[in-house]
Amino acid sequence: PKRDWSSDVCSSDLFKSEVGLGASQTPREQAFCAHAIVDNHTLVVNDATRDGRFHDNPLFVGNPNIRFYAGAPLVTEDGHGLGTLCVIDRVPRTLTAGQQQALEALSRQLMAHLELRRAMIQLRQADEIKKKFVANVSHELRTPLTSIRGALALVLDGGDTAGEEARELLAAAHRSANRLLALVND
């Protein structure tokens, strides 16, 4: 039976490695991997000539004449199917249980690597946001502190216009402004 793949999987198969296959992309409606992604389990087609799902598939009846397919789904932690890690051949083959386990283990390793890579990208983005925030806050604090320090210095250098108690308070404010500016700069 024909399936409606429109909302289930990506728009096409993109082969990251296609040694000997001679194809770099196939439409979604022809993709063998779509079955593995939709059903969310490893799909093994030992001989496509004996599997009715592919009797009219252009990848089976024409170039590249696929006869064997084994693909383990690549699914994100949140359940989004990205594709499959697969092995394709033009002659029928059989996977041993160990080979299928290895294919599934490799697909899990690949997803762990992709998830780690995505996390690293998110961390870099968060670090950039933090750096921009710190630079902005630093600038916003430094500007008024510089003005306060300058005004206090002018008053303190103005001589005896202020009483001794006022001069001590202004000097304390000037020292505090200097410490705050040093903290912001650090």
Side-chain angles (χ1 to χ4, degrees):
K2 287 273 187 185
R3 290 190 186 209
D4 176 15
W5 307 108
S6 59
S7 63
D8 294 332
V9 294
C10 62
S11 62
S12 65
D13 269 345
L14 296 173
F15 301 114
K16 295 302 268 181
S17 174
E18 44 96 10
V19 176
L21 186 61
S24 61
Q25 183 173 347
T26 60
R28 170 183 34 209
E29 55 276 355
Q30 297 174 5
F32 278 59
C33 81
H35 294 274
I37 297 168
V38 169
D39 295 337
N40 197 25
H41 67 77
T42 300
L43 173 67
V44 178
V45 179
N46 294 318
D47 185 352
T49 63
R50 298 172 185 247
D51 193 321
R53 293 176 291 182
F54 307 106
H55 75 279
D56 64 347
N57 186 306
L59 303 172
F60 166 72
V61 296
N63 195 27
N65 301 305
I66 293 173
R67 296 298 179 260
F68 170 79
Y69 174 91
L74 301 173
V75 182
T76 64
E77 291 173 351
D78 59 358
H80 183 74
L82 300 179
T84 62
L85 178 64
C86 65
V87 180
I88 299 172
D89 205 342
R90 291 185 172 109
V91 296
R93 299 221 180 257
T94 302
L95 282 187
T96 66
Q99 290 170 326
Q100 183 168 336
Q101 289 172 349
L103 181 64
E104 291 167 351
L106 282 171
S107 73
R108 288 188 301 272
Q109 289 282 328
L110 177 58
M111 284 312 302
H113 177 75
L114 290 175
E115 293 287 354
L116 181 60
R117 186 175 178 182
R118 182 170 64 169
M120 294 287 290
I121 289 169
Q122 289 172 340
L123 283 173
R124 283 188 199 118
Q125 290 171 341
D127 190 50
E128 277 302 310
I129 291 169
K130 179 195 73 154
K131 285 179 182 178
K132 288 178 183 176
F133 174 77
V134 168
N136 189 37
V137 167
S138 175
H139 173 74
E140 293 301 321
L141 289 172
R142 192 179 294 114
T143 301
L145 279 173
T146 301
S147 296
I148 292 168
R149 284 181 60 232
L152 289 170
L154 285 173
V155 171
L156 287 171
D157 290 341
D160 292 332
T161 57
E164 186 59 33
E165 188 176 331
R167 287 187 59 72
E168 287 176 22
L169 291 174
L170 289 170
H174 190 255
R175 286 189 303 274
S176 294
N178 284 335
R179 276 196 303 268
L180 278 173
L181 189 59
L183 285 172
V184 169
N185 289 335
D186 285 347

